[in-house]
Amino acid sequence: MDVEVRLTDSSKGKGLFTKKTLKEGSVIFDEEPLVSCQFSWNALYKYKACDHCLRPLETAEENARRLTGKFDLVLPYPECCTTVKDTIISCEKCGVEYCCSECLINADTQYHKILCIGSKERSGCHPLELLNEAWKHIHYPPETNSVMLIVRLLARIIQAPDPQVAISQTLQFCHRTFNEDAELAHKLLGEGFANQISHLLSLLQQALPHECIQQFLTENGFKSLLALIGTNGQGVGTSAISQWVSKSSELPLTDAKKLELDQFIDKLYEDIEKHSGTFLDNEGVALYTLQSAANHSCSPNAQATYLHNNFKVSLVALRDIAEGEEIYISYLDDCTLERSRHSRRKVLKENYLFSCNCEKCMDQADQPDMTSEDEDESMSE
């Protein structure tokens, strides 16, 4: 690896540092997650993805037809579709689908044996189903996280050859106080649902009554896990259409054919937005050991992206990074990054419990302490 995790010279504790000079645009590393899962509503709305790696299970044409509502739509250049239907395989007991036998085996080895409830037991009354339904009614689309990530994390511990090693891997993400965990857990659930922690915990206890995870099945332990996924969960998005667009745009076409394709793609996205809104991708959340070690900056030098159209994250350099330099990503979306210093720090304080002192925030320290919304209001007066 060209990176290492080590102590920083600030209050941030650990950070991610490069061991060699990196060029802008280079892939710093690729990493598969400790665990991942698709968002519950995303799956319910028939965004078909591999239950392990989140790779699309629809062809680009099937994807386009569903999202546009035009079931006679034909995509040109079908050879640019990257979905391989012949390798799709299902769990014989519960019918959960995977993109290939390797994903089925990995899931079964890591966590699925514990979580497979079989088709006969799927009555809507199994504790895992009830937990999923309870979470869905707390988190309507657009989703940002899933309690089912906690379920897979705990199932992974139960199935591990050495549960204590798996527990240690989990605890490396847990470094808050009980009060901080409670604050983050309430923030994740939202004001209207913070009182449902005990209900969610009860369902989790019924679903996974295993001795080796008892420390996580207490109220404080569960709040710690909610804080864990709230601060370290990384959004994942995959798309058959996006892959087709990318591949077809690289074809050596004549200028006329290129223009025709561009117009087709523009119309395709226009029709998708009319029928399905902006929800284009299979979406989920994952927990990464190495990527999670990267600290935040409002002027990041790296960005997490998905180059493989599955759950494997790629950290890409946004500019040249010198040997020994700390690697920073942004915990904020692009829109929030462009807002005022006070707005950015307010969001980070509410969601991650720290006040940002990155270079950009320090350079803007003389800005007035008002949110971007306050600024918009004052400008309109």
Side-chain angles (χ1 to χ4, degrees), residues 203-361:
L203 291 171
L204 183 61
Q205 291 168 336
Q206 295 173 54
L208 299 173
H210 292 264
E211 187 64 33
C212 67
I213 58 169
Q214 286 304 307
Q215 70 190 84
F216 298 111
L217 299 182
T218 64
E219 184 174 346
N220 285 333
F222 184 51
K223 287 178 180 177
S224 177
L225 291 178
L226 288 171
L228 184 163
I229 66 170
T231 54
N232 293 285
Q234 172 69 43
V236 180
T238 65
S239 170
I241 288 179
S242 293
Q243 288 290 297
W244 175 84
V245 168
S246 177
K247 297 293 184 183
S248 62
S249 298
E250 296 171 357
L251 292 173
L253 304 176
T254 64
D255 290 345
K257 288 292 185 181
K258 177 67 174 174
L259 177 60
E260 183 181 346
L261 175 62
D262 289 343
Q263 291 173 339
F264 179 89
I265 292 172
D266 289 343
K267 182 65 166 58
L268 176 64
Y269 280 124
E270 181 182 319
D271 290 342
I272 288 174
E273 185 170 358
K274 286 179 181 177
H275 185 74
S276 301
T278 56
F279 296 103
L280 176 64
D281 299 345
N282 305 315
E283 295 185 332
V285 61
L287 190 64
Y288 299 92
T289 302
L290 198 55
Q291 184 263 353
S292 294
N295 286 312
H296 165 83
S297 171
C298 296
S299 181
N301 56 15
Q303 181 178 38
T305 187
Y306 294 89
L307 303 177
H308 306 278
N309 206 32
N310 60 11
F311 64 10
K312 184 183 292 185
V313 70
S314 301
L315 203 65
V316 177
L318 295 176
R319 59 171 175 78
D320 291 350
I321 304 175
E323 179 181 350
E325 187 177 348
E326 184 170 1
I327 297 169
Y328 291 102
I329 61 175
S330 173
Y331 297 174
L332 304 173
D333 59 43
D334 291 341
C335 182
T336 307
L337 269 183
E338 296 304 314
R339 301 189 78 78
S340 70
R341 171 182 182 268
H342 187 68
S343 289
R344 299 194 308 271
R345 298 183 99 213
K346 181 173 183 288
V347 172
L348 290 166
K349 187 67 173 177
E350 289 177 351
N351 291 280
Y352 299 96
L353 304 185
F354 72 87
S355 295
C356 185
N357 293 312
C358 72
E359 183 178 352
K360 182 176 179 179
C361 284

Side-chain angles (χ1 to χ4, degrees), residues 44-220:
L44 182 67
Y45 288 149
K46 301 188 186 304
Y47 285 74
K48 297 184 66 177
C50 174
D51 198 59
H52 182 66
C53 78
L54 299 183
R55 186 181 298 279
L57 299 182
E58 294 176 301
T59 65
E61 189 168 88
E62 289 171 336
N63 196 195
R65 288 178 174 181
R66 179 174 56 80
L67 292 177
T68 61
K70 298 181 177 181
F71 296 100
D72 58 349
L73 178 66
V74 176
L75 293 187
Y77 311 109
E79 68 275 14
C80 293
C81 175
T82 60
T83 304
V84 181
K85 302 275 283 190
D86 293 344
T87 62
I88 295 175
I89 189 170
S90 302
C91 170
E92 292 181 355
K93 295 180 180 179
C94 67
V96 166
E97 290 188 306
Y98 300 94
C99 66
C100 61
S101 58
E102 182 180 355
C103 276
L104 183 150
I105 292 170
N106 286 338
D108 204 53
T109 302
Q110 294 172 26
Y111 56 83
H112 187 66
K113 286 179 183 176
I114 293 295
L115 303 181
C116 182
I117 62 177
S119 58
K120 293 181 180 179
E121 289 79 8
R122 285 183 177 274
S123 61
C125 297
H126 190 282
L128 283 174
E129 294 176 301
L130 294 174
L131 178 62
N132 192 34
E133 285 301 313
W135 183 264
K136 278 162 55 180
H137 286 88
I138 292 173
H139 282 265
Y140 288 96
E143 299 167 272
T144 58
N145 227 305
S146 174
V147 73
M148 303 312 288
L149 189 65
I150 290 177
V151 169
R152 291 197 176 181
L153 191 61
L154 295 180
R156 179 182 177 274
I157 293 172
I158 297 166
Q159 283 194 211
D162 187 340
Q164 287 305 314
V165 171
I167 288 173
S168 296
Q169 291 174 328
T170 301
L171 291 176
Q172 69 180 309
F173 297 99
C174 304
H175 52 82
R176 311 271 184 190
T177 66
F178 286 148
N179 288 338
E180 288 175 326
D181 283 342
E183 185 177 344
L184 288 168
H186 280 67
K187 178 68 177 178
L188 179 61
L189 296 183
E191 290 297 324
F193 300 101
N195 61 348
Q196 293 202 23
I197 286 180
S198 60
H199 177 55
L200 294 172
L201 175 57
S202 175
L203 291 171
L204 183 61
Q205 291 168 336
Q206 295 173 54
L208 299 173
H210 292 264
E211 187 64 33
C212 67
I213 58 169
Q214 286 304 307
Q215 70 190 84
F216 298 111
L217 299 182
T218 64
E219 184 174 346
N220 285 333

